[in-house]
Amino acid sequence: MSHNIVPPLDENTIELLYGSRNPRQHPAPQVIALDKRKRVPILTGVVPTILVVVFSAGLAIFLIIWLRVHQPQGIPGYETGFLAAFRKGTFIVDEGYHEDGEVVQASLRALTFSSVSSHMVGLTSSFIMTLVAYRTASQWLETSRHPTEGVQDKNPTPVQYGLLLGLLGASNAMSVYNAIRYALRRKTRRSKLPTIFTEPLIIATVVLILNHALGASDLWLHTTARSAVMAVAVEGVVQDPSALKLGVAFNESICDPLANGYIAYPCLQFSHGWALGQRYEWIMSNSWLVINNSTSAPVRIITLADQNNTAVMVPTAVHSLSSRTSTSYAFTASTLAVRSNCNIITAACFQDDYRHEVMDCTPAGAPYLPLQWNFTGETPPACNVTICFPEKVFVVNNGRTGVWRHGGPQIFPTNWILPPGPVTIGLQLDVSVPGVESYTSPSAQWAMDGARHLYGVCQVEYLNAVLTFDPLGNVYAMVDEAHTDPNRTATLLGPLISQYGTFRFSSDITGLVTGDAVVDPTLVINAHLSRIALGLLGGAVQLVAVTQASLVRQGVFGLYPVAPVMCVSGILYLYALFAMYIFFSSVSSKSYIITTTASSKEESGIEERSSSPTSSKAPKEKTALVLGQLWLTDPLPLIASVFSREDGTDPERTIADDSLDMVYDVDARAGRLEIGLRTVGEEARFGLERKEDPESSEIV
């Protein structure tokens, strides 16, 4: 078998002899090359390119549009649009849901689209390599037609051709690995690498990396996407905030002189206590309902543990979303709040070791502790300390504690003005446990006074706060706060320094500490002091309108992190652009035309029955670029050249429309191949042998 390229006989034709080893015995039409240039057929490259673009950029566009179109309206704190999703870092998508008993999950259809795109791109990688094969075939044909000095090195060697056949035909990880392994060999162990080899290798490597990067991004998206139950506004319902009274504010009407006559300063503070007399006795009655968490109280006290144990007042009527069919209000409203920051100073005070009692807390910065005399007129009290001052919660202003009325409520002088901001509160509490020896009491570890008294100094803040409520998680959050003005703070302190809640306060913390010896006493005191101080004001507040509200229901949504979504989309766009670049660089290539001529007998007018049905038909034309692409992607043309039939039609079969028709495989004369150790002459080698009949064989 021979392959001979004959120089052009004129400017229009180039004769290409390819075929019979015995043309006298098998006269057949010859294959020639016409010198007219022709581009690769557009449809040959357009169809693969369209498929690649559709399954890459098309699915990426569809995925992004799907996520945008299915963004729900009315989720509190979430806006629709790409910019809002980027700011939040998550696409929230309403794709419907399915139920499995009591389990409700979002459909997460976007994950299906991502998986489909990843799978289809893997399938279409062979299309890209087919386009690369056109480009490589164009270069190879050009260097093969002009075998001048220096150009020959631009053609591939046999091993390089074999690796190209794997890269462009199979384009899997092993073919890329073998080609890279060959390229990395020392130059003494391999031939020079031509562009025809290195360019497809680089492209195949990039395609392989993009495929695996897309698979990793798709896996990332699958592991991070999730479904979540969220509150969403009920469609068609517009709530008027002024009609919804879920905020809390101090009732200013009880301090109005026009409505209540003479009002002392501070408001409701009388010489024997706060809010006394028949006119105001309802205030403390309602306050104790709040402190005791009564359901009949209009408000209740909650503690925001993640916001420094701040106590806030919320309406009792608010409820959470208990099921997918229930509705509730998500709202923003004003309220009152109290926050305490206490420091236990008992251990830093001076103690009488004989009596096991604290005598002076001046070393701890609190010379006013313990309370041992009546500050009225700076004269000693007429009663025993344990009778007059067993336990007190009191205000300290500029190091002084004001006036005490017979050891009872603390009284403000008329010219006494509190500073803005936190108020200093002193603590002197009896934390002894009846029936328990003082030295063995669990509270001894933090009372340090024979387990009988606790001394501390606190910074208490009375706040005008703004709360938000999420009915889905039944969660309140304080989003804004400001200190009440000094006049209002003096009023709000009234029930606390009138000792209305002191016994309840000391009982609560003593019970908690003695019930659990590992509890942090500072956290206990902070939380309970704030709760008691605010609860004592429960009867002096009123419900006010919210600033913002919406009627919401439960919704099951898909949550897709932006980062993996953009990675998947970005790789798909890059893949599509890469395919388009390969396509346009391929279709710009030109190639000559391969055609057939009539046989010698046809030209002389002799009629005979030809073994080839094509000899009597019109000449066939084939673009050399298409044939070259087949030689780079399909092993059958190489098989046809190695195992030729020599029946006179081998030249025509080399330009067959189908690579399956290039190899003779019609009857038993095609032979069967055997593999193994064969003897050729005096040499034994491992290879293939074609068996036609017992008398003839061919060894490869």
Side-chain angles (χ1 to χ4, degrees), residues 515-533:
D516 187 357
V518 298
V519 71
D520 186 344
T522 302
L523 294 180
V524 172
I525 292 173
N526 289 341
H528 279 262
L529 178 59
S530 299
R531 187 178 182 279
I532 291 293

Side-chain angles (χ1 to χ4, degrees), residues 673-694:
L673 297 179
E674 296 179 355
I675 188 171
L677 194 64
R678 298 289 183 262
T679 301
V680 180
E682 297 181 355
E683 298 178 344
R685 65 182 64 175
F686 189 89
L688 295 176
E689 182 179 2
R690 182 168 64 181
K691 291 287 187 178
E692 298 182 11
D693 51 56

Side-chain angles (χ1 to χ4, degrees), residues 189-384:
R189 297 186 60 196
R190 62 164 174 79
S191 300
K192 183 180 179 181
L193 300 178
T195 305
I196 290 176
F197 177 80
T198 56
E199 187 177 86
L201 174 57
I202 293 173
I203 293 175
T205 303
V206 172
V207 169
L208 184 66
I209 291 175
L210 288 177
N211 275 331
H212 287 283
L214 180 60
S217 298
D218 179 53
L219 180 62
W220 183 18
L221 180 59
H222 274 72
T223 55
T224 54
R226 65 189 190 281
S227 60
V229 179
M230 304 177 69
V232 60
V234 177
E235 298 178 2
V237 178
V238 179
Q239 181 63 41
D240 180 12
S242 62
L244 191 63
K245 297 186 180 300
L246 297 176
V248 180
F250 184 78
N251 187 355
E252 300 287 348
S253 64
I254 59 178
C255 291
D256 185 1
L258 297 178
N260 298 288
Y262 173 75
I263 300 295
Y265 172 82
C267 175
L268 301 179
Q269 185 68 53
F270 299 98
S271 60
H272 290 81
W274 190 79
L276 297 177
Q278 294 182 353
R279 182 184 298 178
Y280 302 111
E281 63 181 7
W282 55 273
I283 295 179
M284 288 311 302
S285 298
N286 292 334
S287 295
W288 281 107
L289 292 177
V290 175
I291 293 176
N292 292 322
N293 289 321
S294 173
T295 56
S296 61
V299 295
R300 61 190 179 95
I301 308 299
I302 64 172
T303 299
L304 304 179
D306 58 344
Q307 293 183 285
N308 298 322
N309 286 316
T310 303
V312 295
M313 196 174 291
V314 299
T316 305
V318 173
H319 63 275
S320 61
L321 291 174
S322 57
S323 67
R324 285 180 291 105
T325 58
S326 63
T327 59
S328 183
Y329 287 101
F331 62 87
T332 302
S334 60
T335 189
L336 292 176
V338 175
R339 181 164 54 232
S340 302
N341 183 14
C342 296
N343 182 26
I344 300 175
I345 64 172
T346 310
C349 298
F350 174 75
Q351 301 184 49
D352 186 334
D353 295 334
Y354 178 76
R355 291 188 296 175
H356 299 289
E357 291 184 356
V358 170
M359 303 303 296
D360 185 11
C361 289
T362 300
Y368 41 81
L369 285 173
L371 295 174
Q372 293 182 344
W373 58 85
N374 192 330
F375 285 98
T376 304
E378 301 292 340
T379 57
C383 58
N384 185 276

